[in-house]
């Protein structure tokens, strides 16, 4: 059974703070993804990674960076949080040549 | 690049009736179309998918149909039950997209008792 976990379910930060969101998967998946989910906008891809130390920009990478130092862990970094980054953040993973994505429980981030 | 539109944004049906959610895509090279269900407060999970070499796929009360010519695909849920209440997302994957999925905006399905 695939397990994808995220470091926090809820997070409250102040404008300008540096924020780290962590995602860990235990199924040796090569692909990992970070999405943000906003009402009426669906799932928007921020960044994804298909291998350790590899990353590619998604549709909305501005204001975010990522780190993948180990295969099982994919971190999303908000360098200087802003109020428009208040959202639900979902991490997902998949095998290299398979489309099915397995999601984490999400982190609801509030930036004040 | 690929663009996926999903309709309706909200769908309310009587328990026991059928529900249909439709998605259109723009890239004719797309070849894989999954549907995910997200219950309130939970993570999205794959419920059914279809590839471009198939026109229809069924799994108990849910089915997906694909019309490649018109570039649209639909999710059909029959005999709806309260546990079908959720947000449903469609997605499409193009052969050129490096296994990325392009997502629809989601449909909130409400089952009325």
């Amino acid at each position: 059974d695939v397990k994808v976990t995220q470091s926090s379910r809820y997070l409250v930060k102040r404008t300008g703070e540096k924020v780290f969101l962590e995602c860990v998967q235990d199924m040796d998946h090569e692909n990992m993804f970070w999405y943000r989910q906003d009402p009426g906008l669906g799932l928007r891809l921020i960044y994804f990674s298909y291998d350790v130390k590899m990353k590619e920009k998604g549709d909305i990478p501005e204001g975010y960076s990522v780190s993948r130092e180990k295969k099982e862990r994919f971190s999303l970094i908000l360098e200087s949080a802003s109020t428009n980054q208040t959202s639900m953040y979902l991490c997902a993973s998949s095998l290299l040549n398979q489309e099915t994505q397995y999601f984490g429980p999400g982190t609801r981030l509030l930036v004040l | 690049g690929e663009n996926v539109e999903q309709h309706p944004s909200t769908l309310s049906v009587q328990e026991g009736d059928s529900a249909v959610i439709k998605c259109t895509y723009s890239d004719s090279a797309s070849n894989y179309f999954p549907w995910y269900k997200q219950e309130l407060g939970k993570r999205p999970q794959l419920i059914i998918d279809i590839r471009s070499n198939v026109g229809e796929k069924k799994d108990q009360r849910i089915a997906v149909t694909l019309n490649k010519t018109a570039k649209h695909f639909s999710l059909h849920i029959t005999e709806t039950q309260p546990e079908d209440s959720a947000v449903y997302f469609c997605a499409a994957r193009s052969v050129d997209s490096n296994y990325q999925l392009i997502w629809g905006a989601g449909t909130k399905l409400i089952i009325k008792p």
Side-chain angles (χ1 to χ4, degrees), chain A residues 14-93:
Chain A
R14 297 222 172 262
T15 303
E17 279 193 80
K18 191 168 186 175
V19 182
F20 293 87
L21 303 182
E22 286 211 318
C23 176
V24 177
Q25 48 90 10
D26 67 355
M27 287 303 292
D28 205 34
H29 284 177
E30 290 82 8
N31 299 330
M32 295 189 76
F33 307 84
W34 274 108
Y35 294 95
R36 65 176 282 176
Q37 181 179 15
D38 300 288
L41 297 178
L43 302 172
R44 292 183 292 167
L45 183 64
I46 304 171
Y47 269 97
F48 72 100
S49 168
Y50 53 88
D51 200 355
V52 176
K53 296 193 186 295
M54 303 300 289
K55 61 183 180 184
E56 289 203 24
K57 293 180 180 179
D59 299 319
I60 52 164
E62 297 78 18
Y64 304 94
S65 62
V66 290
S67 172
R68 190 148 180 220
E69 296 297 318
K70 293 185 178 181
K71 190 175 185 180
E72 67 270 20
R73 190 179 300 267
F74 192 35
S75 301
L76 179 70
I77 303 149
L78 287 64
E79 296 290 342
S80 177
S82 64
T83 54
N84 63 11
Q85 292 178 310
T86 290
S87 188
M88 169 68 85
Y89 290 88
L90 287 166
C91 172
S93 71

Side-chain angles (χ1 to χ4, degrees), chain B residues 1-57:
Chain B
E2 177 65 280
N3 182 52
V4 176
E5 293 191 359
Q6 183 172 348
H7 299 281
S9 56
T10 305
L11 179 60
S12 183
V13 301
Q14 205 69 39
E15 183 178 348
D17 287 352
S18 295
V20 181
I21 303 169
K22 297 182 180 179
C23 288
T24 59
Y25 60 99
S26 60
D27 186 353
S28 56
S30 290
N31 61 358
Y32 174 72
F33 308 92
W35 286 89
Y36 282 70
K37 175 184 180 182
Q38 185 179 29
E39 296 178 42
L40 188 63
K42 298 195 174 178
R43 67 193 76 193
Q45 290 190 299
L46 178 71
I47 54 170
I48 196 167
D49 56 14
I50 192 167
R51 298 189 185 277
S52 57
N53 58 349
V54 174
E56 184 176 4
K57 185 176 179 181

